[in-house]
Each structure stands twice: as C-alpha cells, then as structure tokens.
C-alpha cells in the first residue's frame, strides 16, 4: 500500500487550494492509498472541508506567522527556532507514518528546505498552485529596482530548493514553461479536477439575470476592474445584477467603490458559501477578472453548471480552459473597456449566451475527477 503524506500550512479556509487538496486526499483514500495530512498553522480552527475518516491529520502547532509582530532581529531568531521545531515534529510524523511520497505546495516554499532535511527515503513532490512569477519575491518588488535585486537573490535560493525535489507539478503548460526557465527538476502538468458535475441543472429565476464571480477579495482577483466594467453597462442592461462571493482585505474598498457608482442594489458582496453550485445555477454568466491565476478552478465549476465565462486572458489559467467564442470570451488582460463590451454582449444575446453555456458544460467533462486523478496515480506509479 502506497503511503502519501501531504504538508499544508493550514486547512482552515474555504478556498480553492483547500478544496482541491481535500478532493485529492479523499480520492486517494478511497482508492487504496494510505493518506496523512500535516498542517503546521491550523491551531484550533475547524477543518475547512470534510476528509475521509481513514486520513490521519496532525497539526505541528508551529505558527510562523506569530513572528511578524516581533522586531526584525528577534523575528529572525524566532523564525530559525521555529524551523528547527517544525523539522523535528515533522520527522516524528514521518518516523511513525513512513510515507512513500511527501507532497507540499509552493505556499510552503519558505520552509521547504526543512522538509528536504527530513529523513525517510521518500519521494518529494512540490505542487505549484500559483504562477511561478508570483511565488517569487522579485514579483513583490517589481517597481523597486534595488529591492528587486535583493529579492532576486532570495529567489535563486528558492529555485535551488525546488530543484532538490523529485518532481514539480504545475496546473498549466504556461506555468510549467516559466518554471523550466529556472529549474532542472522534472515538471509535469496536471490540472485541477472538476470535483462535481451536476447531473441535472435547476431552473433559473423567471425574472432578472446575474453575473457571478467568486474568489478572495484581494487585489490579485481584480474585483475592482469587474465593478468598473459592470458600472459602464449597468444602464444598458437594467435587469442584470452582479453577485460576488468572497472575503478578504479589499472588502471595504470594494464596497466603497460600489457605493461611488450608486449600485449597492445591483452589485452584492456575499460571504463564501460551501453551496456555491447552487449560486452558479441561479446565475447566467461567470466573470473572472484576476490579474493572474494559478489555474482558475472556478471556471470549471461554473462551466459544469452551463455558464459561459468571460475572463481576462491573464497568466495562466483562462486561456487554457476557455475556448474563445465557443465556451465564453477571453478579454485582453487589464482591458476594462473590452471586458465591459463582452459583458454587454452576453447580457443582450440570450440565445447565443445559452449556446455558449451548453458547449461549456460539455467541454469540462475532460476535467472530471477520475480522469485527472489517473494522471496523479500514473506519476506515483513511476516510483513504485
């Protein structure tokens, strides 16, 4: 029996990575794999998604984020101590579970060097759920040349860490190509799976139409651009509204932007919900306005519910999921005017919109769970 141990910072947020990881671990547990999940900053937070009862869950209780409030010199010392504690506690789990494969994500890249130090003779897999450029520090200082040079030095250290893993797995071919410019480790492309495909769809409301968008209320998701685009067409499609599902640091600013346009009754921000498929099926079009994406799982989910998608052609997911003019529309990245034009087209072409949605629902069948998970088992079998 193959044993797989997954290391994740926490499993507390109702977010895309947690949803995908829970699906992957549950599928493996249901197909003869012995699975364990290790978190290190979970604390007392409840688990975001239900896991198979056979999956072992351990929190190492090493909360690196607590060092952020310390002075710089104390932060460095405390962080080093925590890394040693992390390695020691992870080693205890490995000694007990004896995994064949240890997996983690680029979200844990800062402590990945400690994972490499754990003894156990296992194969190590790193998953990239973000684009390569946004993982690295230089991206954060792209407008500050001096700091960017320092950040590039740190990035080289991170590339060297990734190179010591046995395999890197990315979600898109575009991201794989970007990583391969910096590392030599083998890179595979395995997309996120479509975890649920509704066998039937519920009827939409008899009156009114709505655009829907889902994600963290952070700058990267570009909801500010979405609100601006909708505001430009609001008077031309008065029976349409926009529903945004998410939470994050930009919520206050986004609500203020909505109020500035006087659209509080037509642009609504909702809290995240575990019943997002119900929301999709009560909508008419999905809109993705991210500045960059690791993949864009929400596109698959919306398309499975028969929704056409309008998305900025950002790096890297939308261009590999949406067939332009067949299942939705790709818009030049950051071109808010073109986005508004496409939204207006969707709102005023009922028959064509429905046809795009029907085609989208058929296309996403290729991303069904078993098909994608077979790619993972094929990868694992190379080491068995």
């Amino acid at each position: 029996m193959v044993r797989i141990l997954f290391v994740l910072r926490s499993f507390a947020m109702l977010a895309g990575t947690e949803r995908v990881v829970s699906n992957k671990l549950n599928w493996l547990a249901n197909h003869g794999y012995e699975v364990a999940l290790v978190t290190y900053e979970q604390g007392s937070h409840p688990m975001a998604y239900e896991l198979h009862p056979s999956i072992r869950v351990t929190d190492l209780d090493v909360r690196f984020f607590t060092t952020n409030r310390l002075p710089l010199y104390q932060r460095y010392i405390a962080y080093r101590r925590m890394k040693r504690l992390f390695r020691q506690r992870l080693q205890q789990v490995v000694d007990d579970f004896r995994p064949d494969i240890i997996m983690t994500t680029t979200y844990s890249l800062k402590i990945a060097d400690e994972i490499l130090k754990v003894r156990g003779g296992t194969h190590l897999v790193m998953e990239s759920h973000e684009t390569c450029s946004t993982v690295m520090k230089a991206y954060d200082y792209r407008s500050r040349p001096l700091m960017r040079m320092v950040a590039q030095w740190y990035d080289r250290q991170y590339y060297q860490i990734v190179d010591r893993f046995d395999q890197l797995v990315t979600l898109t071919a575009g991201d794989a190509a970007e990583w391969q410019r910096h590392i030599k480790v083998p890179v595979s492309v395995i997309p996120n799976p479509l975890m649920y495909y509704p066998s039937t769809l519920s009827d939409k409301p008899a009156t009114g139409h709505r655009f829907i968008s889902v994600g963290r209320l952070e700058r990267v998701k570009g909801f500010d651009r979405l609100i601006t685009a909708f505001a430009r067409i609001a008077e031309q499609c008065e029976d349409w509204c926009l529903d945004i599902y998410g939470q994050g640091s930009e919520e206050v600013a986004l609500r203020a932007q909505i109020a500035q346009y006087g659209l509080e009754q037509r642009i609504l921000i909702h809290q995240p919900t575990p019943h997002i498929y119900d929301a999709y099926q009560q909508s008419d079009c999905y809109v993705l306005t991210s500045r960059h994406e690791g993949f864009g799982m929400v596109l698959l989910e919306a398309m499975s519910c028969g929704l056409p998608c309008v998305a900025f052609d950002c790096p890297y997911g939308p261009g590999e999921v949406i067939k332009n003019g067949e299942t939705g529309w790709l818009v030049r990245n950051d071109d808010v005017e073109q986005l508004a034009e496409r939204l207006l087209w969707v709102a005023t072409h009922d028959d064509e919109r429905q046809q795009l949605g029907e085609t989208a629902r058929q296309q996403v069948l290729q991303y069904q769970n078993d098909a994608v998970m077979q790619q993972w088992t094929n990868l694992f079998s190379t080491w068995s």
Side-chain angles (χ1 to χ4, degrees), residues 150-166:
V150 175
Q152 286 173 335
W153 180 87
Y154 278 99
D155 289 348
R156 286 193 290 271
Q157 314 310 307
Y158 287 143
Y159 289 133
Q160 291 174 12
I161 289 173
V162 175
D163 252 337
R164 293 169 59 194
F165 277 70
D166 297 298

Side-chain angles (χ1 to χ4, degrees), residues 7 11 29 45 50 62-63 73 93 98 104 108 116 123 132-133 135 149 207 217 225 244 304 312 354 374 379:
V7 180
F11 195 70
H45 296 287
E50 185 176 356
V62 184
R63 304 183 189 185
Y73 70 95
V93 174
R98 291 176 289 119
T104 191
S108 295
L116 290 164
H123 297 283
C132 176
S133 61
V135 169
M149 290 177 60
T207 60
L217 304 184
R225 307 192 293 182
I244 298 171
S304 76
F312 281 129
Q354 292 175 17
Q374 186 62 54
L379 174 62

Side-chain angles (χ1 to χ4, degrees), residues 147-299:
M147 289 299 297
R148 180 178 173 83
M149 290 177 60
V150 175
Q152 286 173 335
W153 180 87
Y154 278 99
D155 289 348
R156 286 193 290 271
Q157 314 310 307
Y158 287 143
Y159 289 133
Q160 291 174 12
I161 289 173
V162 175
D163 252 337
R164 293 169 59 194
F165 277 70
D166 297 298
Q167 187 79 36
L168 175 69
V169 179
T170 69
L171 299 174
T172 65
D175 193 37
E178 186 174 353
W179 276 103
Q180 287 174 322
R181 290 197 292 269
H182 305 285
I183 62 176
K184 297 179 181 178
V185 64
V187 181
S188 298
V189 178
I190 302 179
N192 282 334
L194 177 62
M195 292 170 277
Y196 174 66
Y197 187 88
S199 58
T200 59
L201 301 179
S202 60
D203 293 333
K204 298 185 187 300
T207 60
H209 300 282
R210 73 172 182 169
F211 297 105
I212 185 174
S213 193
V214 181
R216 292 176 288 114
L217 304 184
E218 305 292 345
R219 184 179 184 279
V220 64
K221 295 301 183 180
F223 290 117
D224 56 320
R225 307 192 293 182
L226 173 55
I227 292 169
T228 298
F230 182 84
R232 292 184 181 181
I233 66 167
E235 292 185 359
Q236 297 166 269
C237 47
E238 294 183 350
D239 62 336
W240 281 73
C241 64
L242 167 62
D243 286 311
I244 298 171
Y245 287 80
Q247 60 186 7
S249 64
E250 295 289 309
E251 181 172 351
V252 172
L254 293 174
R255 290 189 182 279
Q257 183 183 4
I258 294 169
Q260 182 180 6
Y261 288 120
L263 292 171
E264 297 96 323
Q265 302 304 312
R266 296 182 59 192
I267 303 179
L268 302 178
I269 297 179
H270 308 268
Q271 289 297 301
T273 172
H275 308 293
I276 193 62
Y277 275 84
D278 293 338
Y280 289 139
Q281 294 188 52
Q282 297 302 303
S283 304
D284 297 274
C285 177
Y286 189 89
V287 191
L288 187 146
T289 51
S290 298
R291 291 176 165 87
H292 55 79
E293 276 287 345
F295 180 67
M297 185 66 199
V298 288
L299 295 175

